[in-house]
Amino acid sequence: MNATSAAIISQLPLDVVGGGERFTLETYRSALACGQTVDLWCAAAGHAPLERHARRMSQAYSRLSLDSGTPVPVETVTLQKLLHYQGGYERVVIHQHLVNSSTLDMLSAAPPTQRIVLTSLGAEPIADLFAKAYEPHSGVEIMEISGYAAARSTVRGMLASYLSAGVWRNELMPPEPRSSSSKVRAVGVGRLLPHKAFEIAIDAVAGLGNEATLAIIGPASGDAAYVRHLQSKVRRANNCQIVGYLDDQARRAALAQADVLLANSAHVTYTGKRLDQPELLGLVILEAVANGVLPIASDIPSFREICTKLGLERWLYPERDVDALRHLLCTVRELSPFQRCRIVSEAAVRLGEDYLWDDYWRRLAGHGEVGPAALSHVA
């Protein structure tokens, strides 16, 4: 079947685009931009993490086309058939490998000469099982999306490297001083999930009254209680709104009109539930800088990693600390448009050095010159 030498397989469907799904789709586009013909596969539905072998073999996977700009299935087969197809690829990149135990079937089915790259994008229901079952092999490598993610894998006994990307060079807009305003225009971007902690942004902005506004951009994600919680807070604030879903073009246009992006993800949700990790990278921070917007982010490991590389540590605040976030918003308000522009401009230069999709696939494939800023190893 295979006329191509490489495949990307997502263990989650790609019909709803969040940060992880976006990373997979951009990896595919990077492969095409680097001249690689590659097949893009994904789970046709959300498969249960643990199934008996016979049930796993009947799980459906779809091969996608992005000719229209959105993922469209062109072929759907069982996992058993996909494993047969897999043997014809020289390289297989498996995204969200900790979602489904069929990843173990893919590793077992790999020919001796096949190179397999495993990348977690945050969904990890079989993490403990996989750590017990995983055996290092010269043809298999774990390539995470951040140093933080690689360190987590290594702590679990699985030696990992990392390779990051988040924007295309042609998306880097030269920052221009925005017109001076008496208000700080803030945006929050992402699916309405509890770990995104949008309520912290609402509380911080609401306390500033006429000095700030907040627009939250992103679709609901099935957690009706959390959506109601956010809506209740917004109703009590006269300077915050939930915009809902916007397509890529509209989202970037709204972002470009903002002064700051608020990235508030936290290890503890509004209900007190504690998470092992809320984010492995932070694409919204990269997207903000690319659009000339200053990011203010919670001080979680993956956000600190990005902000340190971009020279933006000053704009981190302790997670879930409303007062600290409000203080940074006041600090932004005191900056002149030219000062804010200079901060973002310097960050954008660093962004172009470390986080471009343009050569991501080439770096992943091991071709060309790969510097320590592009590809790092965590021991």
Side-chain angles (χ1 to χ4, degrees):
M1 172 265 179
N2 299 336
T4 59
S5 61
I8 300 168
I9 303 173
S10 169
Q11 290 285 31
L12 285 179
L14 297 175
D15 52 349
V16 176
V17 180
E21 292 85 353
R22 189 179 304 280
F23 198 96
T24 298
L25 295 174
E26 298 299 355
T27 298
Y28 174 72
R29 294 186 177 103
S30 179
L32 299 182
C34 291
Q36 173 74 63
T37 303
V38 59
D39 286 337
L40 176 61
W41 293 88
C42 72
H47 303 313
L50 300 174
E51 290 276 16
R52 293 182 180 275
H53 182 268
R55 281 185 172 273
R56 293 202 305 272
M57 290 302 103
S58 64
Q59 291 174 346
Y61 285 77
S62 295
R63 183 167 58 87
L64 305 179
S65 168
L66 263 64
D67 291 344
S68 63
T70 57
V72 177
V74 295
E75 176 184 12
T76 299
V77 301
T78 63
L79 174 61
Q80 185 174 28
K81 187 68 172 179
L82 177 58
L83 296 178
H84 173 71
Y85 287 166
Q86 178 188 331
Y89 297 112
E90 295 175 7
R91 177 179 293 109
V92 175
V93 176
I94 303 175
H95 280 183
Q96 303 283 24
H97 68 285
L98 299 178
V99 163
N100 191 306
S101 53
S102 61
T103 298
L104 300 174
D105 299 310
M106 295 174 189
L107 291 175
S108 299
T113 58
Q114 187 173 75
R115 180 188 174 194
I116 292 185
V117 179
L118 304 174
T119 303
S120 171
L121 300 176
E124 303 177 338
I126 67 162
D128 291 340
L129 168 66
F130 191 85
K132 294 175 182 177
Y134 177 73
E135 295 183 6
H137 184 279
S138 59
V140 179
E141 63 180 310
I142 299 176
M143 185 68 71
E144 302 291 15
I145 60 176
S146 65
Y148 165 64
R152 291 180 69 252
S153 290
T154 301
V155 165
R156 294 199 297 261
M158 299 176 291
L159 197 62
S161 301
Y162 72 96
L163 190 65
S164 297
V167 300
W168 293 87
R169 185 173 294 280
N170 64 8
E171 292 176 339
L172 289 172
M173 299 292 104
E176 297 180 359
R178 285 157 167 73
S179 59
S180 182
S181 172
S182 60
K183 296 183 179 181
V184 176
R185 296 159 293 190
V187 295
V189 178
R191 286 188 283 178
L192 303 186
L193 292 166
H195 74 270
K196 299 292 186 182
F198 288 114
E199 68 276 7
I200 303 302
I202 295 172
D203 289 345
V205 171
L208 292 175
N210 292 331
E211 296 179 4
T213 62
L214 171 66
I216 298 174
I217 300 170
S221 295
D223 192 324
Y226 183 58
V227 173
R228 288 194 299 269
H229 179 68
L230 294 181
Q231 290 172 336
S232 175
K233 284 185 170 290
V234 166
R235 282 195 296 269
R236 294 195 297 270
N238 59 9
N239 57 354
C240 302
Q241 62 174 321
I242 298 174
V243 176
Y245 169 79
L246 297 178
D247 62 27
D248 287 352
Q249 184 176 357
R251 187 186 70 255
R252 291 193 185 103
L255 185 59
Q257 297 300 313
D259 299 310
V260 295
L261 168 93
L262 304 184
N264 310 104
S265 296
H267 288 84
V268 178
T269 72
Y270 76 111
T271 62
K273 180 180 179 181
R274 178 168 289 277
L275 307 175
D276 178 58
Q277 57 83 14
E279 304 283 354
L280 293 181
L281 184 58
L283 290 176
V284 292
I285 296 175
L286 304 177
E287 188 176 45
V289 173
N291 282 276
V293 177
L294 176 64
I296 299 177
S298 55
D299 194 359
I300 61 174
S302 56
F303 288 178
R304 171 164 284 277
E305 179 178 332
I306 289 177
C307 289
T308 299
K309 285 188 176 183
L310 301 185
L312 296 171
E313 308 99 305
R314 169 72 178 82
W315 304 101
L316 292 167
Y317 73 95
E319 56 182 296
R320 299 201 69 84
D321 190 330
V322 172
D323 291 338
L325 174 54
R326 188 177 296 137
H327 174 73
L328 286 179
L329 286 167
C330 291
T331 302
V332 169
R333 187 168 178 268
E334 294 170 359
L335 296 174
S336 73
F338 290 95
Q339 287 174 314
R340 194 182 309 150
C341 179
R342 185 177 67 251
I343 293 169
V344 178
S345 180
E346 292 172 356
V349 171
R350 299 186 182 190
L351 176 62
E353 295 171 351
D354 288 342
Y355 290 103
L356 291 184
W357 284 117
D358 301 66
D359 65 346
Y360 174 81
W361 184 266
R362 190 173 296 112
R363 290 182 283 143
L364 184 65
H367 298 303
E369 187 174 343
V370 180
L375 175 59
S376 301
H377 175 73
V378 175

